[in-house]
Amino acid sequence: MSKRLRFSLLGLCAAGLFASLAARAHDALDNARQMVVVTTADWNSVSGTLQRFERGTPRAKWKAVGQPFAIVVGKTGLAWGDGLVGNQRLGADAGDPIKREGDGKAPAGVFSLGTAFGYEPQLLAGSRMSYVRLTPSVECVDDAKSQYYNRIVDRQHIKQPDWSSSEHMLRDDELYHWGVYVDHNTHPARPGGGSCIFLHIWRGPGQGTVGCTAMPRQDVEQLIEWFDPAKSPLLVQMPLTQYESARKHLGAGKLPAIH
């Protein structure tokens, strides 16, 4: 596959096409057969827990996969983001925080998952996700004025870069050795609504991110190997109280029970 085609496909993933177009809005939860649930103690908590769930058919009950493990979210906690299900439908209150660019908060809500990325020539053996190898010219644009806002692009393939701010994805540390793009604020991207949200490797327990959800390397690898695009995997992320409220608002079976 040519680099140009590869990054054209990446643009589609960033636009929320990892899951089928039918898995938008009200039916996203009905179609999903894999789900990652991230919960924290409250809106301001940095530390939390991740649990995987799977079901054989869209009508079957959710079953836990493996053991829960520790994660961190934004350094200032969580705030409602822009995902597949309207926040009011999830039980959001008027006084709840709303995700903004640069606020140091990870987005709460229901999100599809885009392409995997990393430093290695090839993705982990057995993974079924699409993959982009990070090079020095690969950037994620966080300039809200850019037409490429909230997209991972290769600068070498952009004739006229129009952004003044971006994140260089090939870092000097291991944080992005493996990662997954989260389809937050992509339907379409709302300027200033928050950008470049990933699942990636953490610095360590209790050390929050600038807005991503991070965890030990082995757990990122475990997720990448487990995700199956054919099962429309979702990330459901919010404080525990809000999660329980969302389960009630959505009705039985939409979201799994956590303990």
Side-chain angles (χ1 to χ4, degrees):
M1 182 184 295
S2 70
K3 288 185 177 180
R4 185 176 300 277
L5 176 57
R6 183 183 66 183
F7 280 90
S8 295
L9 292 174
L10 174 56
L12 293 178
C13 289
L17 297 181
F18 172 76
S20 66
L21 289 176
R24 290 284 303 277
H26 66 281
D27 59 353
L29 291 168
D30 295 329
N31 292 348
R33 288 186 287 139
Q34 286 185 329
M35 185 176 291
V36 170
V37 177
V38 169
T39 55
T40 60
D42 53 46
W43 288 113
N44 298 317
S45 295
V46 170
S47 299
T49 301
L50 183 151
Q51 174 69 66
R52 293 181 293 155
F53 294 90
E54 194 163 14
R55 57 186 179 182
T57 68
R59 294 181 179 274
K61 292 183 178 181
W62 288 106
K63 294 183 179 181
V65 176
Q67 296 298 313
F69 56 81
I71 54 86
V72 293
V73 293
K75 60 186 177 182
T76 58
L78 292 169
W80 287 116
D82 184 0
L84 291 171
V85 180
N87 294 330
Q88 288 188 343
R89 185 169 174 240
L90 296 172
D93 293 327
D96 290 345
I98 304 297
K99 173 67 183 168
R100 297 283 186 267
E101 186 69 44
D103 60 5
K105 295 182 181 295
V110 178
F111 309 98
S112 56
L113 296 162
T115 189
F117 56 81
Y119 299 170
E120 302 295 335
Q122 295 180 332
L123 189 53
L124 294 160
S127 175
R128 289 150 290 192
M129 302 186 75
S130 59
Y131 178 65
V132 170
R133 183 186 184 186
L134 303 180
T135 67
S137 59
V138 176
E139 306 172 27
C140 189
V141 180
D142 55 18
D143 182 348
K145 297 180 180 179
S146 170
Q147 64 179 312
Y148 300 100
Y149 178 63
N150 197 24
R151 288 175 55 187
I152 296 176
V153 298
D154 189 333
R155 180 180 281 269
Q156 292 184 342
H157 298 149
I158 305 298
K159 292 183 178 180
Q160 294 182 321
D162 64 349
W163 59 87
S164 59
S165 177
S166 66
E167 180 175 7
H168 290 269
M169 299 292 290
L170 185 61
R171 302 168 57 102
D172 294 331
D173 56 29
E174 288 293 295
L175 297 191
Y176 292 171
H177 195 113
W178 298 115
V180 177
Y181 182 94
V182 176
D183 289 330
H184 163 260
N185 191 26
T186 59
H187 304 300
R190 176 172 52 86
S195 62
C196 305
I197 303 299
F198 315 127
L199 304 177
H200 67 75
I201 300 168
W202 69 5
R203 297 183 184 277
Q207 299 185 54
T209 70
V210 295
C212 298
T213 298
M215 63 207 73
R217 174 170 171 167
Q218 65 268 24
D219 293 319
V220 178
E221 293 176 348
Q222 177 179 239
L223 288 178
I224 291 174
E225 292 171 336
W226 178 67
F227 286 140
D228 182 352
K231 296 181 179 180
S232 303
L234 297 177
L235 167 66
V236 179
Q237 179 167 267
M238 61 192 74
L240 181 57
T241 299
Q242 278 68 34
Y243 182 80
E244 295 299 341
S245 176
R247 290 190 72 233
K248 294 178 181 178
H249 277 79
L250 292 171
K254 297 291 187 181
L255 298 178
I258 58 176
H259 305 284

